[in-house]
Amino acid sequence: MALASSQYEHPFGHLIDTLQSEQYEERRYFNPQKLRDDRYEKLPFCMRVLLESAIRKCDGFYIKTDDVSSILDWQTQQNQAEVVFSPARVLLQDFTGIPAMVDLAAMRDALAKQGVDPNLVNPRCPTDLIVDHSLQIDYSKCAIQNPPAPTDESHSAAVRSPAGRPSPRGSSSAGGHCAGQRPGHRGGCSKASCSDVPSGRSAAVQIENTPLLCPFHLQPVSEPETMIRNQEMELIRNKERLQFFKWCSKAFKNINVVPPDINTVHQVNLEYLCQVVQEGEGFIYPDSVVGTDSHTTMINGLGILGWGVGGIESEAVMLGQPVSLTLPQVVGCKLVGTINPLATSIDIVLGITKHLRQAGIGGKFVEFFGPGVQQLSAPDRTTIANMCPEYNATVSFFPVDDITLQHFKHTICSEEKLVVLEDYLKAIKLFRSYGDQSEEPQYSEVIEMNLSSIVPHVSGPKRPQDRVAVTCMKEDFINCLNEKVGFKGFHISKEKQATQVPFLHEGAEYNLAHGSIVIAAVISCTNNCNPSVMLAAGLLAKKAVEAGLKVKPYIRTSLVPGSGTVTHYLNTSGVLPYLRKLGFEVVGYGCATCVGNTAPLPESVVDAIKQGDLVACGVLSGNRHLEGRLCDCVRANYLASPPLVVAYAIAGTVSIDLETEPLGVNSEGKDVYLRDIWPSKEEVNHTEENIVIASMFKDLRSRMEKGSTFWNTIESAESALFPWDPKSTYIRCPSFFSKLSKEVCTPQSIEGAYPLLFLGDKVTTDHISPAGSIARVSAAAKYLQSKRLTPREFNSYGARRGNDAVMTRGTFASIKLQNRLIGKTGPKTLHIPSGQTLDVFEAAERYQRDGVPLIILAGKEYGSGSSRDWAAKGPYLMGVRAVIAESFEKIHRNHLVGMGIAPLQFLPGENADSLELCGKERFTINIPQELTPRQQLTVQTSTGKSFSVTALFENDMDVAFFRHGGILKYVARSLLL
């Protein structure tokens, strides 16, 4: 088949329309409404995005008019028709992005050898690569782990503290020892590497500049020094990879490299890269994305269609190939009812997640609609969309509405772009009014959820899985007192349950009883992804202080943000002073209350608890609270949301009905109830959107524009071709293009092939693809040792994904591989001609040296599991020409085709056993010159047997890729012509 022609009259040119306004220059777009087909407005909104893309990108080769027809006829074609989708952009993180960029760099080399300008090789689809997976924590707060020794003297010179002191090695100090003490221990900290601090400084002192703390006794450590040292170690460990990424950022067009130390991939995607409406090639169109990060689905919460894909799929999209998918079923999730005023965003997200998990929606698209959606903020929606893996949906889509537009005012700088966005989405009916039932499309099925059924809970008193509705808290605590000692019970006799013990604290008299709170800790480590819960705690504190409420001074209160960012937005929103007035001071940044690192309770409190044998309580918003964990005299501990921690601290007891009993009285003696000071969701959302998110986005934009000093100091070549270092064990030019020619060879039959492996059912990509640490006795280890690396310097397969020599040797290196040729588990196979048992790579290398082609025999569901590019790249470089199996996992089948490996399926009812194959035969597979999709091929063995298989090439595009030897060579040849 010839390459796709560049001269192609667009079959949907009559749908081109113009967006006009006095507020902006006119824009052209494809308007599906001009089809004048009633089916369009019945499509789910996410299917409308697929349809627009198919219309706009229809070229007669990758995307055909039949694809458009199938999507338009989604109601009858769902779960049946195969269609393709061309996303607007690709999102890569560095671990999965480096193989793709190495391939493009190698393609440039191949074209240069053919006399073609290497600058022609660039991603065809706009691509963003975020370097966020390379940082390791060698210096964590003041606990300095043992960093790997540098590989040469030049590296050791780079590891210096900001003051010029040599950095620590092993257990040496990074700047003196912490003078703090743990309860029950004498003298200074025995842990190395704490910063110098004055002896006796209190761990509970408010720390304005958000320093890092010693995790053993919460003494402050210099944050800038710790951060710089981690960055220095990152530069040393990943120097070659970072230099390569720096070269990519300068050499390639259509790719944007976001350097380290900016933000995580999903946050950059949400806060900076998302455009909602893209502009390119003279048109505007909906933003959409496929990404190699598991958090890619978060973007659906902003009305941008996107999901996670594997490395080869993302690479294919980068090179201009669309994603293939079966038209999915779309489940409509209708949200009705009113959210319980005490329910936080986390309650809502977890409630919806649980509901969808129980609905059984695996592999389907979910689209939200109904009046209840308007009660969810943009961060709520992105958090729900991010939970897709938890309920096994492909995407959870929230069409753009007024709330989304309000959010975009803080993320999209141009006012003109906001107007264009709204006008365009309304013009093609991608803008949603959730209160208008006439806009509701038709779904595969509808599941309804009443938001009023989401009830806020706490967990306790001994285990996190024991959830208690807040409305039942008082009753449940009394039951715990009555029950026998066990997972919940304390077995307090009836006559002792009313015990009250008076005590003096700071000159005032107080009473303790069963249920009295003595520890209250607001911890944000499990609440960082959504600021609303921490803001709710701050706003509640503000209202409580204004109402004249106080927290009893004997309660050990603390505020431990999970990061400086949390402190920043609490301070920016103006609520931090009110938390302080209630005793919730920022005490540091580390694991504290959850792990028992709470300052000792006042002696008078401890004595009162012991005197009355009281079941005293702690409340915290962390994730651990086993009995006695917070303090040995505090037997009941509850996990609660941050605002509920503040509320219970004010009440002073868990034995309270927060709906009917007051938290306290104000200065005028008037009862104040929780409902009087609980911030409404509207208040929280307003503060979050207009103050917090606006500030966070402004900060991110500033950092993106300035870059990082760390990144700017990295040197890289100024050349069109990458200067490969032959000594490098991280970055290596792969051999995919070693035999690239301008001419396309006709399909060649596979003659006299030996099976490299004879496998059973459900061989996953974990069995095939290199992953994890590199075993010392593996083929990859032998290679690295030949390069004079020690086992300590092996690193992992993930870190060496840019080196095909390592990755090929790690293919089929799983200790769980069950190969019928050797009859036992392990990364070994039989070299059939010699009868020797060898490492799989060593056997493949010997076959290749002798010019013998290879195949793999397998059972059902070959290639199941997570999508991994090297599960296809590795076998290809080993010389595997075909895989004959009973069935294939669909994505892995696509990957095999993309690498030029033929996926061949036994006919129904047949397999290796029914055909009496022993796996030691030689196989000849007859491939005709005029190969067609799903053609039956004949296989002959050296023992005289003959059987048929189906070639799983689903369309002409698959056949073209196979004929060219994979998509990489296909694209390279398109540039040679």
Side-chain angles (χ1 to χ4, degrees), residues 474-659:
K474 183 175 183 178
E475 178 186 354
D476 186 81
F477 180 74
I478 294 172
N479 290 336
C480 290
L481 295 180
N482 291 326
E483 289 182 17
K484 293 182 179 179
V485 175
F487 290 132
K488 292 197 69 171
F490 298 101
H491 198 55
I492 305 297
S493 61
K494 292 280 188 181
E495 59 273 14
K496 292 185 177 182
Q497 289 182 16
T499 299
Q500 290 199 12
V501 180
F503 69 99
L504 289 175
H505 177 74
E506 296 180 351
E509 182 174 313
Y510 301 92
N511 288 306
L512 284 184
H514 293 291
S516 290
I517 292 171
V518 294
I519 296 175
V522 174
I523 303 166
S524 75
C525 58
T526 56
N527 300 287
N528 284 336
C529 66
N530 193 327
S532 62
V533 286
M534 292 296 287
L535 287 174
L539 291 172
L540 184 142
K542 179 177 183 293
K543 290 189 172 188
V545 171
E546 291 172 346
L549 298 180
K550 297 180 180 180
V551 174
K552 294 178 177 65
Y554 62 80
I555 297 176
R556 185 67 71 193
T557 52
S558 60
L559 172 58
V560 185
S563 69
T565 300
V566 178
T567 304
H568 170 74
Y569 68 65
L570 289 177
N571 197 37
T572 302
S573 59
V575 299
L576 196 55
Y578 297 97
L579 285 164
R580 289 176 186 150
K581 286 185 178 180
L582 293 181
F584 291 95
E585 299 260 7
V586 175
V587 298
Y589 301 81
C591 291
T593 308
C594 287
V595 296
N597 286 350
T598 301
L601 296 176
E603 289 187 12
S604 57
V605 173
V606 174
D607 291 343
I609 293 172
K610 291 180 178 179
Q611 179 184 336
D613 191 25
L614 300 177
V615 179
C617 299
V619 288
L620 68 155
S621 60
N623 61 356
R624 290 290 184 271
H625 67 322
L626 302 177
E627 183 178 12
R629 186 184 181 103
L630 306 191
C631 180
D632 57 8
C633 63
V634 180
R635 286 191 275 172
N637 299 299
Y638 289 90
L639 299 183
S641 66
L644 281 176
V645 170
V646 177
Y648 277 114
I650 294 169
T653 179
V654 299
S655 186
I656 181 175
D657 186 334
L658 292 177
E659 287 190 332

Side-chain angles (χ1 to χ4, degrees), residues 652-952:
T653 179
V654 299
S655 186
I656 181 175
D657 186 334
L658 292 177
E659 287 190 332
T660 62
E661 298 180 51
L663 291 177
V665 295
N666 60 19
S667 57
E668 300 173 356
K670 182 181 177 182
D671 287 342
V672 180
Y673 294 84
L674 180 61
R675 59 179 174 270
D676 298 327
I677 63 170
W678 188 270
S680 68
K681 190 159 179 61
E682 290 74 22
E683 289 178 272
V684 175
N685 290 348
H686 175 80
T687 304
E688 183 178 23
E689 285 286 351
N690 294 283
I691 299 177
V692 176
I693 290 179
S695 174
M696 292 170 67
F697 281 103
K698 182 179 179 181
D699 177 66
L700 177 61
R701 282 196 295 267
S702 174
R703 295 175 69 185
M704 291 289 290
E705 291 167 1
K706 293 178 181 178
S708 69
T709 304
F710 172 53
W711 174 257
N712 295 336
T713 57
I714 296 174
E715 297 180 356
S716 64
E718 301 279 349
S719 59
L721 300 178
F722 183 70
W724 307 98
D725 181 358
K727 297 180 181 179
S728 174
T729 57
Y730 280 95
I731 306 293
R732 184 175 184 267
C733 185
S735 56
F736 298 129
F737 305 98
S738 58
K739 298 179 181 179
L740 181 67
S741 61
K742 290 185 179 181
E743 298 76 24
V744 183
C745 298
T746 57
Q748 300 292 314
S749 295
I750 302 171
E751 298 184 357
Y754 274 119
L756 177 63
L757 296 160
F758 188 7
L759 306 171
D761 296 340
K762 297 185 177 179
V763 173
T764 71
T765 51
D766 286 337
H767 296 109
I768 307 169
S769 181
S773 59
I774 299 173
R776 295 190 177 195
V777 295
S778 64
K782 295 175 185 176
Y783 167 80
L784 293 173
Q785 287 170 335
S786 74
K787 301 294 182 180
R788 299 187 177 182
L789 268 65
T790 65
R792 187 183 182 188
E793 298 169 310
F794 285 174
N795 214 321
S796 64
Y797 284 113
R800 297 188 181 275
R801 291 177 70 134
N803 186 325
D804 65 302
V806 172
M807 299 301 284
T808 305
R809 285 166 171 79
T811 303
F812 293 113
S814 170
I815 59 174
K816 297 181 180 180
L817 185 71
Q818 293 185 330
N819 180 11
R820 294 173 62 177
L821 289 178
I822 60 172
K824 60 181 181 180
T825 301
K828 302 285 185 178
T829 194
L830 180 69
H831 180 254
I832 298 170
S834 67
Q836 290 181 281
T837 298
L838 304 172
D839 285 334
V840 176
F841 172 80
E842 292 173 351
E845 189 177 40
R846 188 177 295 187
Y847 281 124
Q848 283 190 300
R849 191 167 56 239
D850 296 338
V852 177
L854 296 171
I855 65 168
I856 292 173
L857 296 175
K860 300 173 182 176
E861 299 180 38
Y862 179 78
S864 57
S866 59
S867 175
R868 293 187 178 171
D869 52 347
W870 276 100
K873 287 182 174 179
Y876 172 82
L877 292 176
M878 283 180 162
V880 174
R881 298 280 306 281
V883 178
I884 306 177
E886 287 185 70
S887 63
F888 292 83
E889 196 278 331
K890 178 184 173 182
I891 292 177
H892 186 63
R893 182 211 69 85
N894 293 342
H895 287 183
L896 292 175
V897 173
M899 290 309 304
I901 298 175
L904 308 177
Q905 187 173 41
F906 290 110
L907 297 184
E910 294 184 352
N911 55 36
D913 291 333
S914 68
L915 295 170
E916 298 181 349
L917 302 176
C918 69
K920 298 180 181 180
E921 306 92 339
R922 300 193 75 163
F923 293 76
T924 295
I925 303 170
N926 298 307
I927 300 177
Q929 292 188 4
E930 298 300 324
L931 185 63
T932 58
R934 299 196 67 85
Q935 186 172 352
Q936 285 197 6
L937 308 179
T938 300
V939 182
Q940 295 173 312
T941 71
S942 56
T943 59
K945 293 178 181 177
S946 178
F947 59 94
S948 295
V949 294
T950 301
L952 296 184

